[in-house]
Amino acid sequence: MGKNLTSRAENYSKWYNDLIVKADLAEHSAVKGCMVIKPYGYAIWEKMQATLDKMFKDSGHVNAYFPLFIPKSFFSKEASHVKGFAKECAVVTHYRLKNSDDGKEIVVDESARLEEELIVRPTSETIIWNTYRNWIQSYRDLPILVNQWANVVRWEMRTRLFLRTAEFLWQEGHTAHAGREEAVSETLKMLNIYAEFAEKHMAMPVIKGVKTESERFAGALETYCIEALMQDGKALQAGTSHFLGQNFAKAFDVKFTNKEGVQDYVWATSWGVSTRLMGALVMSHSDDEGLVLPPKLAPIQVVIVPIYKTPEERQATLEAASKIKQELQSRSISVKTDERDTHTPGWKFAEYELKGVPVRIGIGPRDIQNQTIEVARRDTKEKSTYQVVDAALKIEHLLEQIQDNIYKKALSFRETKTFSADTYEEFKEMLKHGGFVLAHWDGDPGTEGKIKEETSATIRCIPYENRKEEGKCIYTGKPSAQRVLFAIAY
RNA sequence: CGGGGAAUAGCGCAGGUGGUAGCGCGCCACGUUCGGGACGUGGAGGCCGGGGGUUCGAGUCCCCCUUCCCCGACCA
């Protein structure tokens, strides 16, 4: 029996949408462009949050919270910033409702118009820098290393669950520094933290790099990013870290007195990852049977399915399950025993496969007899029989192996999908099959724009650990010092 | 914001030329099952997305609105 999941080959978009909904991660809400993140999906996000939050704190950051509403005037203070976000802002204009004259409806009370409209934050640079002005007088007040976990709203035309929704959850770090070098190094430090998180926890290989001018964050001097390749060959920006220079300090007049007693503007960074990572996670590892979750982020790492016919067998298998569960829990492994009598084992197998639980244990009468358990891993669908006596230890190792295996699988996928093009014809041909294409570019945004127009491919980044290599731009033939990373992106 | 679809039971769908709604899955009850989404019998469930019209009569024809999906442009 199938799971009624569209296969990736048949329709990748449908596969993704079906999977998100059927695996209980999220669903469309009654509000256009907004999603409901369901408990199972939210549990994964919570694990991402917990891990990232610890990484942020271990690197000296602290959490705070700034308002959801941002006065419109704040936005206009940094010219390129407002330009970048103006087209997708939700604006609050009134603060009161009233009954309509016929009493049948609730309408906006036109007399309750706000003096100054409020923008629902699409990002918090402006409100934060307006606040930092009051926090900073001296170099002794620096650095400020603040992060916030929040929701933001960007009024998107076209939305997709997790990948692009009008409201999404994220974290945004906003730091203030006394010197340029320190701010640049903070930007890179956070980029590295994101890359480490992606690779070690999400098991998703990423390429670190710098964005070109046209892909840069509105208001930044430099945007660094991690780029991942999805199974359909499209690239996904998974996180960004911005060096903001003194742009926001100048816009909000945030000065400090340095050690020499001279006034200077503060240097800034901002960095963020969002619930989009959920989409990245799904599209990196999952297959036609359902989700494949990396053990480090799986809400349930091991599920135990008891198999029995008689009440006596039920009793015996549940007892055996309980012992294994305790042993696994003592190794900090999250375990669930599915004791429900309302579904057959086969049904449960399919269900946990759909939900991507990394390891499934089956315990039936035969196992009780032999002092064994059946262990099935989700990533390879391989089944083995373990002796109960050393099962917990082996499963602990198995989880590590699965984490490692899905990373390697994703990495090898990316490697086979990464090409080098030396001519424009070659470039266009390679793009047809999806994947990353490394090619020379003359550094001109105009050229980049034309390539995008003609092929839909964008420069995802200039890889950070790039090998310098003399060459000629595939489009103009002008000299180029290195290859840049092209792809069709989400 | 353009271009295509679509909206009928919880989900997926069928309902030529108008005559008062059906199938599969799911749900409920009982029994037999249970090592890869079990089976039988019985049952519940619908102002056919919303609003107007045409008609004796509209799921079906006409107009308007709303929402969702897919593909582009824009963006994390």
PDB file of all heavy atoms in Angstrom, chain B residues 4 11 22 24 27 38 48-49 52 58 61-62 67 70:
ATOM      1  P     G B   4      -5.058  32.779 -19.079  1.00  0.00           P
ATOM      2  OP1   G B   4      -6.017  32.986 -20.167  1.00  0.00           O
ATOM      3  OP2   G B   4      -5.468  33.032 -17.677  1.00  0.00           O
ATOM      4  O5'   G B   4      -4.468  31.308 -19.190  1.00  0.00           O
ATOM      5  C5'   G B   4      -5.262  30.213 -18.852  1.00  0.00           C
ATOM      6  C4'   G B   4      -4.413  29.086 -18.345  1.00  0.00           C
ATOM      7  O4'   G B   4      -3.340  29.607 -17.493  1.00  0.00           O
ATOM      8  C3'   G B   4      -5.167  28.137 -17.437  1.00  0.00           C
ATOM      9  O3'   G B   4      -5.902  27.204 -18.199  1.00  0.00           O
ATOM     10  C2'   G B   4      -4.065  27.528 -16.604  1.00  0.00           C
ATOM     11  O2'   G B   4      -3.349  26.547 -17.313  1.00  0.00           O
ATOM     12  C1'   G B   4      -3.175  28.754 -16.367  1.00  0.00           C
ATOM     13  N9    G B   4      -3.574  29.491 -15.156  1.00  0.00           N
ATOM     14  C8    G B   4      -4.007  30.803 -15.087  1.00  0.00           C
ATOM     15  N7    G B   4      -4.282  31.182 -13.868  1.00  0.00           N
ATOM     16  C5    G B   4      -4.013  30.066 -13.093  1.00  0.00           C
ATOM     17  C6    G B   4      -4.124  29.884 -11.690  1.00  0.00           C
ATOM     18  O6    G B   4      -4.494  30.697 -10.837  1.00  0.00           O
ATOM     19  N1    G B   4      -3.751  28.589 -11.316  1.00  0.00           N
ATOM     20  C2    G B   4      -3.334  27.607 -12.179  1.00  0.00           C
ATOM     21  N2    G B   4      -3.036  26.441 -11.628  1.00  0.00           N
ATOM     22  N3    G B   4      -3.228  27.769 -13.476  1.00  0.00           N
ATOM     23  C4    G B   4      -3.574  29.013 -13.872  1.00  0.00           C
ATOM     24  P     C B  11     -11.662  18.426   3.877  1.00  0.00           P
ATOM     25  OP1   C B  11     -10.891  19.683   3.853  1.00  0.00           O
ATOM     26  OP2   C B  11     -12.960  18.343   3.185  1.00  0.00           O
ATOM     27  O5'   C B  11     -10.718  17.263   3.342  1.00  0.00           O
ATOM     28  C5'   C B  11      -9.332  17.241   3.666  1.00  0.00           C
ATOM     29  C4'   C B  11      -8.678  16.054   2.999  1.00  0.00           C
ATOM     30  O4'   C B  11      -9.278  14.837   3.499  1.00  0.00           O
ATOM     31  C3'   C B  11      -8.880  15.961   1.494  1.00  0.00           C
ATOM     32  O3'   C B  11      -7.979  16.779   0.780  1.00  0.00           O
ATOM     33  C2'   C B  11      -8.665  14.482   1.233  1.00  0.00           C
ATOM     34  O2'   C B  11      -7.303  14.147   1.261  1.00  0.00           O
ATOM     35  C1'   C B  11      -9.349  13.872   2.461  1.00  0.00           C
ATOM     36  N1    C B  11     -10.770  13.551   2.203  1.00  0.00           N
ATOM     37  C2    C B  11     -11.067  12.414   1.451  1.00  0.00           C
ATOM     38  O2    C B  11     -10.133  11.725   1.008  1.00  0.00           O
ATOM     39  N3    C B  11     -12.366  12.091   1.207  1.00  0.00           N
ATOM     40  C4    C B  11     -13.331  12.863   1.703  1.00  0.00           C
ATOM     41  N4    C B  11     -14.591  12.503   1.447  1.00  0.00           N
ATOM     42  C5    C B  11     -13.064  14.039   2.464  1.00  0.00           C
ATOM     43  C6    C B  11     -11.777  14.341   2.692  1.00  0.00           C
ATOM     44  P     G B  22     -27.396   9.641  -3.575  1.00  0.00           P
ATOM     45  OP1   G B  22     -28.282   8.522  -3.949  1.00  0.00           O
ATOM     46  OP2   G B  22     -27.575  10.308  -2.262  1.00  0.00           O
ATOM     47  O5'   G B  22     -25.888   9.186  -3.669  1.00  0.00           O
ATOM     48  C5'   G B  22     -25.589   7.950  -4.269  1.00  0.00           C
ATOM     49  C4'   G B  22     -24.299   8.027  -5.028  1.00  0.00           C
ATOM     50  O4'   G B  22     -23.920   9.394  -5.319  1.00  0.00           O
ATOM     51  C3'   G B  22     -23.069   7.511  -4.287  1.00  0.00           C
ATOM     52  O3'   G B  22     -23.059   6.101  -4.205  1.00  0.00           O
ATOM     53  C2'   G B  22     -21.957   8.058  -5.180  1.00  0.00           C
ATOM     54  O2'   G B  22     -21.829   7.292  -6.367  1.00  0.00           O
ATOM     55  C1'   G B  22     -22.522   9.435  -5.551  1.00  0.00           C
ATOM     56  N9    G B  22     -21.893  10.514  -4.776  1.00  0.00           N
ATOM     57  C8    G B  22     -22.430  11.289  -3.771  1.00  0.00           C
ATOM     58  N7    G B  22     -21.582  12.182  -3.307  1.00  0.00           N
ATOM     59  C5    G B  22     -20.424  11.978  -4.049  1.00  0.00           C
ATOM     60  C6    G B  22     -19.168  12.637  -4.001  1.00  0.00           C
ATOM     61  O6    G B  22     -18.814  13.580  -3.276  1.00  0.00           O
ATOM     62  N1    G B  22     -18.263  12.103  -4.919  1.00  0.00           N
ATOM     63  C2    G B  22     -18.553  11.062  -5.777  1.00  0.00           C
ATOM     64  N2    G B  22     -17.575  10.684  -6.596  1.00  0.00           N
ATOM     65  N3    G B  22     -19.721  10.448  -5.833  1.00  0.00           N
ATOM     66  C4    G B  22     -20.598  10.951  -4.954  1.00  0.00           C
ATOM     67  P     G B  24     -17.246   2.669  -2.579  1.00  0.00           P
ATOM     68  OP1   G B  24     -17.301   1.192  -2.606  1.00  0.00           O
ATOM     69  OP2   G B  24     -17.971   3.419  -1.524  1.00  0.00           O
ATOM     70  O5'   G B  24     -15.730   3.134  -2.550  1.00  0.00           O
ATOM     71  C5'   G B  24     -14.767   2.566  -3.448  1.00  0.00           C
ATOM     72  C4'   G B  24     -13.442   3.258  -3.275  1.00  0.00           C
ATOM     73  O4'   G B  24     -13.561   4.640  -3.700  1.00  0.00           O
ATOM     74  C3'   G B  24     -12.955   3.359  -1.838  1.00  0.00           C
ATOM     75  O3'   G B  24     -12.330   2.179  -1.398  1.00  0.00           O
ATOM     76  C2'   G B  24     -11.988   4.538  -1.930  1.00  0.00           C
ATOM     77  O2'   G B  24     -10.759   4.154  -2.507  1.00  0.00           O
ATOM     78  C1'   G B  24     -12.737   5.463  -2.887  1.00  0.00           C
ATOM     79  N9    G B  24     -13.593   6.406  -2.159  1.00  0.00           N
ATOM     80  C8    G B  24     -14.943   6.325  -1.930  1.00  0.00           C
ATOM     81  N7    G B  24     -15.419   7.333  -1.241  1.00  0.00           N
ATOM     82  C5    G B  24     -14.311   8.125  -0.998  1.00  0.00           C
ATOM     83  C6    G B  24     -14.196   9.354  -0.291  1.00  0.00           C
ATOM     84  O6    G B  24     -15.092  10.007   0.270  1.00  0.00           O
ATOM     85  N1    G B  24     -12.890   9.821  -0.271  1.00  0.00           N
ATOM     86  C2    G B  24     -11.818   9.176  -0.859  1.00  0.00           C
ATOM     87  N2    G B  24     -10.635   9.772  -0.733  1.00  0.00           N
ATOM     88  N3    G B  24     -11.906   8.032  -1.527  1.00  0.00           N
ATOM     89  C4    G B  24     -13.172   7.570  -1.554  1.00  0.00           C
ATOM     90  P     C B  27     -10.108   5.610  10.397  1.00  0.00           P
ATOM     91  OP1   C B  27      -9.154   5.676  11.520  1.00  0.00           O
ATOM     92  OP2   C B  27     -10.538   4.306   9.866  1.00  0.00           O
ATOM     93  O5'   C B  27     -11.419   6.431  10.760  1.00  0.00           O
ATOM     94  C5'   C B  27     -11.339   7.744  11.304  1.00  0.00           C
ATOM     95  C4'   C B  27     -12.720   8.253  11.610  1.00  0.00           C
ATOM     96  O4'   C B  27     -13.477   8.394  10.374  1.00  0.00           O
ATOM     97  C3'   C B  27     -13.581   7.310  12.444  1.00  0.00           C
ATOM     98  O3'   C B  27     -13.287   7.444  13.831  1.00  0.00           O
ATOM     99  C2'   C B  27     -14.995   7.758  12.101  1.00  0.00           C
ATOM    100  O2'   C B  27     -15.330   8.946  12.778  1.00  0.00           O
ATOM    101  C1'   C B  27     -14.840   8.079  10.609  1.00  0.00           C
ATOM    102  N1    C B  27     -15.213   6.934   9.733  1.00  0.00           N
ATOM    103  C2    C B  27     -16.574   6.640   9.540  1.00  0.00           C
ATOM    104  O2    C B  27     -17.424   7.334  10.118  1.00  0.00           O
ATOM    105  N3    C B  27     -16.918   5.611   8.739  1.00  0.00           N
ATOM    106  C4    C B  27     -15.973   4.886   8.133  1.00  0.00           C
ATOM    107  N4    C B  27     -16.355   3.878   7.346  1.00  0.00           N
ATOM    108  C5    C B  27     -14.588   5.158   8.323  1.00  0.00           C
ATOM    109  C6    C B  27     -14.255   6.177   9.114  1.00  0.00           C
ATOM    110  P     A B  38      -3.170  -2.380   7.338  1.00  0.00           P
ATOM    111  OP1   A B  38      -4.417  -1.895   8.012  1.00  0.00           O
ATOM    112  OP2   A B  38      -2.173  -3.204   8.057  1.00  0.00           O
ATOM    113  O5'   A B  38      -3.464  -3.210   6.024  1.00  0.00           O
ATOM    114  C5'   A B  38      -4.769  -3.388   5.568  1.00  0.00           C
ATOM    115  C4'   A B  38      -5.135  -4.849   5.733  1.00  0.00           C
ATOM    116  O4'   A B  38      -4.937  -5.261   7.105  1.00  0.00           O
ATOM    117  C3'   A B  38      -6.601  -5.111   5.460  1.00  0.00           C
ATOM    118  O3'   A B  38      -6.804  -5.301   4.073  1.00  0.00           O
ATOM    119  C2'   A B  38      -6.858  -6.374   6.263  1.00  0.00           C
ATOM    120  O2'   A B  38      -6.452  -7.516   5.574  1.00  0.00           O
ATOM    121  C1'   A B  38      -5.938  -6.179   7.478  1.00  0.00           C
ATOM    122  N9    A B  38      -6.629  -5.655   8.655  1.00  0.00           N
ATOM    123  C8    A B  38      -6.424  -4.456   9.283  1.00  0.00           C
ATOM    124  N7    A B  38      -7.173  -4.286  10.352  1.00  0.00           N
ATOM    125  C5    A B  38      -7.916  -5.456  10.427  1.00  0.00           C
ATOM    126  C6    A B  38      -8.882  -5.906  11.330  1.00  0.00           C
ATOM    127  N6    A B  38      -9.296  -5.189  12.372  1.00  0.00           N
ATOM    128  N1    A B  38      -9.420  -7.109  11.112  1.00  0.00           N
ATOM    129  C2    A B  38      -9.009  -7.827  10.068  1.00  0.00           C
ATOM    130  N3    A B  38      -8.098  -7.516   9.142  1.00  0.00           N
ATOM    131  C4    A B  38      -7.583  -6.314   9.390  1.00  0.00           C
ATOM    132  P     C B  48     -25.552  23.038  -0.734  1.00  0.00           P
ATOM    133  OP1   C B  48     -25.990  24.355  -1.205  1.00  0.00           O
ATOM    134  OP2   C B  48     -26.476  21.924  -0.773  1.00  0.00           O
ATOM    135  O5'   C B  48     -24.260  22.623  -1.533  1.00  0.00           O
ATOM    136  C5'   C B  48     -22.991  23.062  -1.061  1.00  0.00           C
ATOM    137  C4'   C B  48     -21.967  22.540  -2.033  1.00  0.00           C
ATOM    138  O4'   C B  48     -22.379  21.235  -2.521  1.00  0.00           O
ATOM    139  C3'   C B  48     -21.821  23.426  -3.269  1.00  0.00           C
ATOM    140  O3'   C B  48     -20.460  23.630  -3.474  1.00  0.00           O
ATOM    141  C2'   C B  48     -22.510  22.679  -4.382  1.00  0.00           C
ATOM    142  O2'   C B  48     -21.845  22.784  -5.638  1.00  0.00           O
ATOM    143  C1'   C B  48     -22.397  21.221  -3.925  1.00  0.00           C
ATOM    144  N1    C B  48     -23.523  20.387  -4.364  1.00  0.00           N
ATOM    145  C2    C B  48     -23.303  19.408  -5.343  1.00  0.00           C
ATOM    146  O2    C B  48     -22.165  19.280  -5.806  1.00  0.00           O
ATOM    147  N3    C B  48     -24.329  18.634  -5.746  1.00  0.00           N
ATOM    148  C4    C B  48     -25.537  18.796  -5.220  1.00  0.00           C
ATOM    149  N4    C B  48     -26.507  18.018  -5.640  1.00  0.00           N
ATOM    150  C5    C B  48     -25.791  19.792  -4.228  1.00  0.00           C
ATOM    151  C6    C B  48     -24.764  20.552  -3.844  1.00  0.00           C
ATOM    152  P     G B  49     -19.575  24.449  -4.216  1.00  0.00           P
ATOM    153  OP1   G B  49     -20.208  25.214  -5.288  1.00  0.00           O
ATOM    154  OP2   G B  49     -18.611  23.368  -4.437  1.00  0.00           O
ATOM    155  O5'   G B  49     -18.966  25.508  -3.178  1.00  0.00           O
ATOM    156  C5'   G B  49     -18.596  25.113  -1.860  1.00  0.00           C
ATOM    157  C4'   G B  49     -18.114  26.319  -1.113  1.00  0.00           C
ATOM    158  O4'   G B  49     -16.867  26.771  -1.706  1.00  0.00           O
ATOM    159  C3'   G B  49     -19.043  27.524  -1.192  1.00  0.00           C
ATOM    160  O3'   G B  49     -20.052  27.466  -0.217  1.00  0.00           O
ATOM    161  C2'   G B  49     -18.074  28.680  -0.969  1.00  0.00           C
ATOM    162  O2'   G B  49     -17.741  28.821   0.397  1.00  0.00           O
ATOM    163  C1'   G B  49     -16.840  28.181  -1.733  1.00  0.00           C
ATOM    164  N9    G B  49     -16.854  28.610  -3.137  1.00  0.00           N
ATOM    165  C8    G B  49     -16.881  27.802  -4.246  1.00  0.00           C
ATOM    166  N7    G B  49     -16.898  28.462  -5.361  1.00  0.00           N
ATOM    167  C5    G B  49     -16.869  29.801  -4.978  1.00  0.00           C
ATOM    168  C6    G B  49     -16.868  30.990  -5.756  1.00  0.00           C
ATOM    169  O6    G B  49     -16.898  31.107  -6.976  1.00  0.00           O
ATOM    170  N1    G B  49     -16.844  32.123  -4.955  1.00  0.00           N
ATOM    171  C2    G B  49     -16.809  32.117  -3.586  1.00  0.00           C
ATOM    172  N2    G B  49     -16.783  33.311  -3.003  1.00  0.00           N
ATOM    173  N3    G B  49     -16.813  31.016  -2.843  1.00  0.00           N
ATOM    174  C4    G B  49     -16.841  29.906  -3.597  1.00  0.00           C
ATOM    175  P     G B  52     -28.208  36.348  -2.391  1.00  0.00           P
ATOM    176  OP1   G B  52     -29.281  36.677  -1.452  1.00  0.00           O
ATOM    177  OP2   G B  52     -28.187  35.022  -3.066  1.00  0.00           O
ATOM    178  O5'   G B  52     -28.125  37.477  -3.504  1.00  0.00           O
ATOM    179  C5'   G B  52     -29.037  37.475  -4.566  1.00  0.00           C
ATOM    180  C4'   G B  52     -28.481  38.255  -5.724  1.00  0.00           C
ATOM    181  O4'   G B  52     -27.088  37.890  -5.946  1.00  0.00           O
ATOM    182  C3'   G B  52     -29.159  37.919  -7.034  1.00  0.00           C
ATOM    183  O3'   G B  52     -30.365  38.625  -7.173  1.00  0.00           O
ATOM    184  C2'   G B  52     -28.092  38.272  -8.061  1.00  0.00           C
ATOM    185  O2'   G B  52     -27.981  39.658  -8.258  1.00  0.00           O
ATOM    186  C1'   G B  52     -26.846  37.741  -7.337  1.00  0.00           C
ATOM    187  N9    G B  52     -26.653  36.315  -7.612  1.00  0.00           N
ATOM    188  C8    G B  52     -26.683  35.284  -6.704  1.00  0.00           C
ATOM    189  N7    G B  52     -26.482  34.107  -7.250  1.00  0.00           N
ATOM    190  C5    G B  52     -26.312  34.378  -8.599  1.00  0.00           C
ATOM    191  C6    G B  52     -26.068  33.515  -9.688  1.00  0.00           C
ATOM    192  O6    G B  52     -25.943  32.281  -9.673  1.00  0.00           O
ATOM    193  N1    G B  52     -25.971  34.205 -10.897  1.00  0.00           N
ATOM    194  C2    G B  52     -26.087  35.565 -11.031  1.00  0.00           C
ATOM    195  N2    G B  52     -25.962  36.046 -12.270  1.00  0.00           N
ATOM    196  N3    G B  52     -26.315  36.395 -10.017  1.00  0.00           N
ATOM    197  C4    G B  52     -26.410  35.736  -8.836  1.00  0.00           C
ATOM    198  P     A B  58     -33.642  26.066  -8.609  1.00  0.00           P
ATOM    199  OP1   A B  58     -33.062  26.111  -7.244  1.00  0.00           O
ATOM    200  OP2   A B  58     -33.888  27.306  -9.361  1.00  0.00           O
ATOM    201  O5'   A B  58     -32.769  25.111  -9.546  1.00  0.00           O
ATOM    202  C5'   A B  58     -32.389  23.788  -9.135  1.00  0.00           C
ATOM    203  C4'   A B  58     -30.890  23.610  -9.333  1.00  0.00           C
ATOM    204  O4'   A B  58     -30.587  23.983 -10.703  1.00  0.00           O
ATOM    205  C3'   A B  58     -30.035  24.533  -8.461  1.00  0.00           C
ATOM    206  O3'   A B  58     -28.807  23.890  -8.201  1.00  0.00           O
ATOM    207  C2'   A B  58     -29.800  25.733  -9.347  1.00  0.00           C
ATOM    208  O2'   A B  58     -28.639  26.428  -9.045  1.00  0.00           O
ATOM    209  C1'   A B  58     -29.674  25.069 -10.712  1.00  0.00           C
ATOM    210  N9    A B  58     -29.993  25.925 -11.853  1.00  0.00           N
ATOM    211  C8    A B  58     -30.610  27.146 -11.861  1.00  0.00           C
ATOM    212  N7    A B  58     -30.742  27.676 -13.059  1.00  0.00           N
ATOM    213  C5    A B  58     -30.177  26.733 -13.898  1.00  0.00           C
ATOM    214  C6    A B  58     -30.006  26.682 -15.293  1.00  0.00           C
ATOM    215  N6    A B  58     -30.408  27.640 -16.119  1.00  0.00           N
ATOM    216  N1    A B  58     -29.398  25.589 -15.805  1.00  0.00           N
ATOM    217  C2    A B  58     -29.005  24.618 -14.980  1.00  0.00           C
ATOM    218  N3    A B  58     -29.121  24.549 -13.644  1.00  0.00           N
ATOM    219  C4    A B  58     -29.712  25.644 -13.167  1.00  0.00           C
ATOM    220  P     C B  61     -22.451  24.464 -16.237  1.00  0.00           P
ATOM    221  OP1   C B  61     -21.725  23.836 -17.362  1.00  0.00           O
ATOM    222  OP2   C B  61     -21.695  25.128 -15.152  1.00  0.00           O
ATOM    223  O5'   C B  61     -23.507  25.511 -16.811  1.00  0.00           O
ATOM    224  C5'   C B  61     -24.022  25.382 -18.128  1.00  0.00           C
ATOM    225  C4'   C B  61     -24.835  26.611 -18.485  1.00  0.00           C
ATOM    226  O4'   C B  61     -26.132  26.539 -17.818  1.00  0.00           O
ATOM    227  C3'   C B  61     -24.263  27.939 -17.996  1.00  0.00           C
ATOM    228  O3'   C B  61     -23.259  28.421 -18.863  1.00  0.00           O
ATOM    229  C2'   C B  61     -25.488  28.825 -17.961  1.00  0.00           C
ATOM    230  O2'   C B  61     -25.841  29.271 -19.247  1.00  0.00           O
ATOM    231  C1'   C B  61     -26.554  27.851 -17.456  1.00  0.00           C
ATOM    232  N1    C B  61     -26.741  27.895 -15.994  1.00  0.00           N
ATOM    233  C2    C B  61     -27.367  29.017 -15.424  1.00  0.00           C
ATOM    234  O2    C B  61     -27.736  29.943 -16.166  1.00  0.00           O
ATOM    235  N3    C B  61     -27.547  29.064 -14.087  1.00  0.00           N
ATOM    236  C4    C B  61     -27.128  28.054 -13.325  1.00  0.00           C
ATOM    237  N4    C B  61     -27.331  28.138 -12.003  1.00  0.00           N
ATOM    238  C5    C B  61     -26.489  26.913 -13.870  1.00  0.00           C
ATOM    239  C6    C B  61     -26.318  26.866 -15.203  1.00  0.00           C
ATOM    240  P     C B  62     -22.091  29.351 -18.287  1.00  0.00           P
ATOM    241  OP1   C B  62     -21.072  29.493 -19.365  1.00  0.00           O
ATOM    242  OP2   C B  62     -21.677  28.889 -16.946  1.00  0.00           O
ATOM    243  O5'   C B  62     -22.847  30.751 -18.115  1.00  0.00           O
ATOM    244  C5'   C B  62     -23.288  31.506 -19.237  1.00  0.00           C
ATOM    245  C4'   C B  62     -23.857  32.820 -18.753  1.00  0.00           C
ATOM    246  O4'   C B  62     -25.038  32.564 -17.944  1.00  0.00           O
ATOM    247  C3'   C B  62     -22.945  33.604 -17.815  1.00  0.00           C
ATOM    248  O3'   C B  62     -21.976  34.348 -18.521  1.00  0.00           O
ATOM    249  C2'   C B  62     -23.939  34.478 -17.057  1.00  0.00           C
ATOM    250  O2'   C B  62     -24.362  35.581 -17.825  1.00  0.00           O
ATOM    251  C1'   C B  62     -25.113  33.515 -16.884  1.00  0.00           C
ATOM    252  N1    C B  62     -25.074  32.790 -15.593  1.00  0.00           N
ATOM    253  C2    C B  62     -25.509  33.452 -14.449  1.00  0.00           C
ATOM    254  O2    C B  62     -25.896  34.633 -14.541  1.00  0.00           O
ATOM    255  N3    C B  62     -25.485  32.809 -13.263  1.00  0.00           N
ATOM    256  C4    C B  62     -25.062  31.547 -13.190  1.00  0.00           C
ATOM    257  N4    C B  62     -25.053  30.954 -11.997  1.00  0.00           N
ATOM    258  C5    C B  62     -24.605  30.847 -14.345  1.00  0.00           C
ATOM    259  C6    C B  62     -24.633  31.494 -15.520  1.00  0.00           C
ATOM    260  P     U B  67      -9.086  36.547  -1.303  1.00  0.00           P
ATOM    261  OP1   U B  67      -8.283  37.263  -0.283  1.00  0.00           O
ATOM    262  OP2   U B  67      -8.874  36.843  -2.740  1.00  0.00           O
ATOM    263  O5'   U B  67      -8.904  34.980  -1.083  1.00  0.00           O
ATOM    264  C5'   U B  67      -9.183  34.388   0.178  1.00  0.00           C
ATOM    265  C4'   U B  67      -9.244  32.897   0.031  1.00  0.00           C
ATOM    266  O4'   U B  67     -10.327  32.549  -0.863  1.00  0.00           O
ATOM    267  C3'   U B  67      -8.021  32.253  -0.618  1.00  0.00           C
ATOM    268  O3'   U B  67      -6.967  32.087   0.316  1.00  0.00           O
ATOM    269  C2'   U B  67      -8.600  30.937  -1.108  1.00  0.00           C
ATOM    270  O2'   U B  67      -8.758  30.026  -0.043  1.00  0.00           O
ATOM    271  C1'   U B  67      -9.982  31.367  -1.590  1.00  0.00           C
ATOM    272  N1    U B  67     -10.016  31.672  -3.038  1.00  0.00           N
ATOM    273  C2    U B  67     -10.145  30.605  -3.906  1.00  0.00           C
ATOM    274  O2    U B  67     -10.214  29.457  -3.519  1.00  0.00           O
ATOM    275  N3    U B  67     -10.179  30.938  -5.241  1.00  0.00           N
ATOM    276  C4    U B  67     -10.103  32.208  -5.782  1.00  0.00           C
ATOM    277  O4    U B  67     -10.158  32.343  -6.994  1.00  0.00           O
ATOM    278  C5    U B  67      -9.957  33.262  -4.814  1.00  0.00           C
ATOM    279  C6    U B  67      -9.921  32.968  -3.503  1.00  0.00           C
ATOM    280  P     C B  70       1.800  25.093  -5.339  1.00  0.00           P
ATOM    281  OP1   C B  70       2.848  24.212  -4.780  1.00  0.00           O
ATOM    282  OP2   C B  70       1.747  26.517  -4.988  1.00  0.00           O
ATOM    283  O5'   C B  70       1.844  24.981  -6.938  1.00  0.00           O
ATOM    284  C5'   C B  70       1.913  23.714  -7.580  1.00  0.00           C
ATOM    285  C4'   C B  70       1.818  23.891  -9.063  1.00  0.00           C
ATOM    286  O4'   C B  70       0.527  24.473  -9.390  1.00  0.00           O
ATOM    287  C3'   C B  70       2.805  24.894  -9.657  1.00  0.00           C
ATOM    288  O3'   C B  70       4.090  24.338  -9.854  1.00  0.00           O
ATOM    289  C2'   C B  70       2.111  25.267 -10.963  1.00  0.00           C
ATOM    290  O2'   C B  70       2.243  24.245 -11.924  1.00  0.00           O
ATOM    291  C1'   C B  70       0.661  25.338 -10.510  1.00  0.00           C
ATOM    292  N1    C B  70       0.262  26.707 -10.106  1.00  0.00           N
ATOM    293  C2    C B  70      -0.039  27.630 -11.117  1.00  0.00           C
ATOM    294  O2    C B  70       0.056  27.283 -12.300  1.00  0.00           O
ATOM    295  N3    C B  70      -0.412  28.890 -10.767  1.00  0.00           N
ATOM    296  C4    C B  70      -0.492  29.241  -9.485  1.00  0.00           C
ATOM    297  N4    C B  70      -0.865  30.487  -9.198  1.00  0.00           N
ATOM    298  C5    C B  70      -0.181  28.321  -8.436  1.00  0.00           C
ATOM    299  C6    C B  70       0.186  27.079  -8.791  1.00  0.00           C
TER     300        C B  70
END
